[in-house]
Amino acid sequence: MLHSTALRALLAALAVTLLGAAPAGAQGSSAGIEAKESATGSMTISWRGDPARGCAEAGLCDVAGSVTFVASGGEQTSTSGPPTLRSELMNLSFQAGTPVVRVLRGPATDPLGACADPLGDGHVRLEGRLLPGGRARFTLRPFEAPFGAGTPAGRCAGPLAEDVVEALPSAEADASRVLSGTLELDFAGRRPFSGGPFSGEVSSSIRFTRRARRVARAFPGSTGSGPSPSELVDDLGGAVSLEALYDIVAARGSLVTDFAGGPEPFCLPLDACGLRGTHVVARVTARRGATLSLQADGPRSALRGRGIRAALRAVHAGRLRFGQSGFYPPLRGTVSTVVARDGGPACRQSDRLELPALALRPRRGALRLSIGSEHEDADSVMRSRCPGPGAADLAANTLAAGTIALRDVGARRITVRLGAGQASAGAFSVTGRGDVVLELRRRRMRLHQFGEELPR
């Protein structure tokens, strides 16, 4: 949560933005959209080990699995505005309960093991893309953050999201019906896919309906009651925000996660008994232009002086406070996984991809910086076609974490060492080792009062 002074400052700034945005005399309303949406049917993704795709080398020829998304069928009502076609195309979705992956190892009539893993909250997004002639194509996207399933197979053996994406159901319609009228989409059909040692199919009977109409939507506070923006600012005595923006000029190091199936009965639901493996993140680099913004807020009285130097002293003394924040994934790395079961061949996979987003939060007189967090977990990098742990099996969902001392905020250069996550146990016994080192170089510092830069 934000510190109380920072929260009050943020609310006051928001009030200035919202109330100031209303045109003169706009004690009335602006246009919005009321939409009623519902979905029926289901979508099933199924797969099996394919000898033609090398399942024998991966020890996955006897694996077969599936996951089903069942639309709730209930109607949801939402109001938004002012309406734009592009914004509404980004907001289409429906709930499908909690899908559960089910994977069998061995003969279906007498399996050697069974893995069952619940995925996310069953949120399915409809990705809308404009086409020529006023048409739009809509595609079901059940794997996208922050509420999607992440991967089709979870912690069981199975395909990755990118293996399935081209086979996901799609439908076309008149784009204007998103803003007004009735939009009916039929996603029924079957399409094959393949990825790694697996082949499979996506089958769907999903039907989605949206009924939209334009409505009047009042601005918050438009009734004239409540304090004005100037009264809010006076009540706060003025609020300030100090931003120290750093370039991530270098990144190095590696992270190793060793894991093994936990003791019975904990390993049984995920068919993890006797499983062991290693997950390695190496060759870590920073994306070009990657930055890290350290921003502290509070009342102007906390400065006890003027300018950036006074603000830095307030930060170092804890009088200006930091809130939680996240940053677009700025790091990339080579990710490799090796998983074996007692007496069987090893499943191997390697790739180069983006690491989870960095997360920043205040913690006991310092700033905790982590790769992954409870809000932006590490499933994107722990994913694998092989069976094995996911972000839920890591301590606090983080691959690595370290701290920035408050006294270092504002320094020209900062070195941050992010150590591998702590050991955890459950269905898998997981232990992390290694670290990633980030070199930060200050680009600029700015001091603001409700969006206006103050003199140095």
Side-chain angles (χ1 to χ4, degrees), residues 183-202:
L183 174 69
E184 294 183 325
L185 300 172
D186 185 354
F187 294 100
R190 296 173 177 271
R191 295 185 66 181
F193 70 88
S194 58
F198 298 105
S199 294
E201 181 185 72
V202 179

Side-chain angles (χ1 to χ4, degrees), residues 131-335:
L131 301 174
R135 304 282 289 175
R137 177 180 292 115
F138 302 86
T139 304
L140 300 185
R141 302 290 191 193
F143 307 122
E144 297 185 3
F147 305 112
T151 62
R155 291 172 288 178
C156 306
L160 298 176
E162 54 262 39
D163 300 333
V164 179
V165 65
E166 294 299 324
L168 292 174
S170 63
E172 291 188 16
D174 183 348
S176 66
R177 294 187 180 275
V178 173
L179 296 177
S180 180
T182 299
L183 174 69
E184 294 183 325
L185 300 172
D186 185 354
F187 294 100
R190 296 173 177 271
R191 295 185 66 181
F193 70 88
S194 58
F198 298 105
S199 294
E201 181 185 72
V202 179
S203 62
S204 172
S205 61
I206 295 289
R207 294 178 183 271
F208 177 84
T209 302
R210 171 185 169 98
R211 294 180 176 85
R213 66 186 184 96
R214 297 181 183 274
V215 296
R217 190 177 72 93
F219 280 108
S222 61
T223 60
S225 62
S228 68
S230 61
E231 289 172 336
L232 286 170
V233 173
D234 290 342
D235 178 60
L236 290 168
V240 295
S241 176
L242 176 69
E243 180 198 33
L245 183 65
Y246 285 86
D247 292 314
I248 305 177
V249 295
R252 61 182 183 275
S254 62
L255 301 168
V256 180
T257 303
D258 299 310
F259 59 90
E264 294 189 22
F266 305 106
C267 62
L268 293 174
L270 294 177
D271 191 22
C273 305
L275 204 67
R276 64 185 185 281
T278 302
H279 181 272
V280 179
V281 177
R283 299 181 183 177
V284 177
T285 59
R287 295 172 60 95
R288 179 176 296 181
T291 60
L292 192 67
S293 176
L294 310 181
Q295 184 169 324
D297 306 284
R300 186 160 185 181
S301 59
L303 266 61
R304 301 180 185 177
R306 292 179 58 82
I308 287 179
R309 291 187 177 181
L312 276 177
R313 289 194 295 270
V315 167
H316 299 163
R319 297 193 300 273
L320 293 183
R321 302 298 182 90
F322 293 85
Q324 298 184 37
S325 55
F327 304 92
Y328 185 80
L331 306 177
R332 293 179 62 85
T334 298
V335 180

Side-chain angles (χ1 to χ4, degrees), residues 292-296 315 321-323 359-370 402-406 409 416 418:
L292 192 67
S293 176
L294 310 181
Q295 184 169 324
V315 167
R321 302 298 182 90
F322 293 85
L360 186 76
R361 64 184 302 173
R363 184 178 181 181
R364 294 194 293 269
L367 301 177
R368 182 180 186 269
L369 186 66
S370 63
T403 59
I404 300 174
L406 288 184
V409 175
V416 188
L418 308 178

Side-chain angles (χ1 to χ4, degrees), residues 47-88:
W47 60 91
R48 62 194 176 280
D50 187 345
R53 299 189 58 83
C55 65
E57 291 82 355
L60 297 172
C61 286
D62 62 347
V63 166
S66 67
V67 60
T68 299
F69 298 80
V70 180
S72 63
E75 188 174 70
Q76 302 178 65
T77 302
S78 63
T79 304
S80 60
T84 68
L85 180 56
R86 292 189 181 277
S87 65
E88 291 301 304

